Amino acid sequence: MFFSYNTTLRSWWFGNSTTGIEGGISQLLYENLVDISSSGGILRPFRMNVYDHYVPSYKFRTCFFFRNPGFVEIGTDVLKPFSIKTWYVTLSAMLVMSAAIKGAHWAENEYLRLPIKYSFFTSIVVIICIMAQQGSAIIPFYLGGRIVFLTLLILSILLYNYYTSSLVSSLLSTQPPVLHTIKQLYESNLKVGIEYQPYTLTYIFQEKHNEYIQKLNSNKIYCPGPNFFPPEEGLAMVKQEQICDLAEIDFLTPGFVSFMAQKKSQYKELFQISLVKMKENGIFNREENIWVEKPPKCLSDLRVVAVGANALFLVYIILVIGIILAFVILAIEIVWHKLEIKTKS
């Protein structure tokens, strides 16, 4: 059987509306100026009443491609080697040991007449110093108090060993959580750029109800942008990234692309049968393997994770609180000392 055909070219794919019938291929089909499209369109419910789709031939995806920096909940990563219950038990043990040290010191001072006295809060400071592997300037003189100190030192070294080994092994052997959503991408410190494509701009315009797409658009894509890059330049920015760190986030909702025809076209059955046979014979898969590039595979199971400021947020907070508390206590001690001098005089 012989046949001939005429090809009509348009400078754009679809129009800017949901159906796209005001321009491009869809307008030609809607106005019955052509019988079938030579390029595909995404299957969408609101297009079904305008023209017919044939067998899906390709899965359309557009995504952000980047090196995964991971994300952490501020202040929680530093606690992860121990569960919350373990931390509660540790704090309780520290209070019990503080009471034991204070009790041993009181007994030594009361019955053995030692010249040194210190408060219960001093024993708490001693406990914190030992648990932080800093030692203590105050050491009991007799066997009873020293047994308490020895027990505390054994407890601190065991906790320190379990904590540090668990933390280091988790950083070396596990990957950080992968960013999965536009919201996480927006809240990350990554810079964002896109390829200048009509469907990308149309999607941004249509998704006005999506808060984080609009925030991503106004705060990262167009600020200080516009950050539009051709594929070569965009891939060059990702080229130096480690393969095992690469991650993706879908920008447009993935959909299947198929050839389109006039509504109730006389050629529908003919093309439908031909395309189904091509799919069954593996021609679609063959073309996809030729034209669609597969992501590189990660062949390494070892990864070193940089510990960021977010993971150590709680540590910095403790440092700031300690500095402020030290100055507050110093001020109280100065005032207390001056009042004692006035009272004695």
Side-chain angles (χ1 to χ4, degrees), residues 201-215 217:
L201 302 180
T202 301
Y203 181 76
I204 293 175
F205 177 76
Q206 291 177 357
E207 293 293 324
K208 290 185 176 180
H209 63 281
N210 192 315
E211 176 186 0
Y212 287 99
I213 286 182
Q214 295 306 316
K215 285 184 176 181
N217 182 42

Side-chain angles (χ1 to χ4, degrees), residues 249-296:
I249 292 179
D250 287 323
F251 182 45
L252 305 182
T253 303
F256 286 95
V257 174
S258 68
F259 295 104
M260 302 172 296
Q262 297 176 10
K263 195 67 179 176
K264 299 180 181 180
S265 171
Q266 58 181 328
Y267 302 107
K268 180 177 180 179
E269 184 177 356
L270 175 64
F271 280 103
Q272 192 85 337
I273 294 173
S274 300
L275 292 171
V276 168
K277 287 184 177 180
M278 292 174 63
K279 193 175 186 69
E280 291 177 347
N281 293 332
I283 296 178
F284 283 10
N285 290 336
R286 176 181 178 276
E287 294 300 315
E288 182 176 348
N289 292 333
I290 293 175
W291 295 104
V292 179
E293 189 70 25
K294 299 295 188 297

Side-chain angles (χ1 to χ4, degrees), residues 59 122 142 151-152 165 182 201 216 218 227 242 268 287 311:
K59 187 176 182 179
T122 302
Y142 294 95
T151 305
L152 176 61
S165 60
I182 295 294
L201 302 180
L216 193 72
S218 58
N227 297 321
Q242 299 179 19
K268 180 177 180 179
E287 294 300 315

